[in-house]
Amino acid sequence: MTRFRRWYGASALHLVLLSASFALTGYAGVRLLKGDILGVALWFVGAAVLHDLVLLPLYSVADRAAQRLSPGSASVNHVRVPAFLSGLLLLVWWPLILRRVGHYTAATGLPADGFLGRWLLITAGLFTASAAVLLLRMWNASRPARRAARRQRRSTRNAR
């Protein structure tokens, strides 16, 4: 077994899991490309180009601007995390949020009109929860300064 690990660089379980994930990916790719090969390929190329040429520069500039507004602070992460989660939800539910799916109601029997409002509420909740966590961290970080100020006030009162 040590000979295999030295040759491969990891355990046999790693090789089995990696092979299974490649097999599953290949199966999903074959199923996906079964219908409209050109449309799927065009979608993948378009998504890569859109990400690399438009979205990456946009969110890189936005992140740099946020870092410059609060240098040396971890508070930027309290904007990054909810923005990432909100963007991920938008990416997954994009057609329903923008009401671009006509067959949704026919297929599920559910109305497709509430997704925009729900996504906005979830986004507001994520940013609110992140702001609450930031305020709590700032409050806890200022605890020693508040104690020192209290001691200072007590000592000045006792000196009078």
Side-chain angles (χ1 to χ4, degrees), residues 35-140:
D36 182 19
I37 295 174
L38 182 63
V40 173
L42 185 64
W43 186 87
F44 273 112
V45 170
V49 168
L50 177 71
H51 176 266
D52 291 351
L53 297 180
V54 177
L55 297 178
L56 180 65
L58 278 177
Y59 62 72
S60 296
V61 166
D63 187 55
R64 293 285 183 210
Q67 287 177 355
R68 286 180 191 240
L69 288 175
S70 61
S73 173
S75 63
V76 173
N77 290 335
H78 290 274
V79 174
R80 283 180 184 155
V81 172
F84 169 75
L85 293 174
S86 177
L88 184 62
L89 287 173
L90 178 64
L91 179 67
V92 170
W93 299 104
W94 172 272
L96 290 169
I97 290 172
L98 295 182
R99 297 184 190 129
R100 303 255 177 179
V101 180
H103 63 278
Y104 178 77
T105 303
T108 63
L110 299 172
D113 58 353
F115 284 93
L116 175 63
R118 291 182 194 131
W119 176 73
L120 290 172
L121 283 173
I122 290 170
T123 299
L126 287 169
F127 277 98
T128 302
S130 183
V133 169
L134 176 62
L135 288 174
L136 186 64
R137 285 184 175 179
M138 290 170 64
W139 175 263
N140 285 336

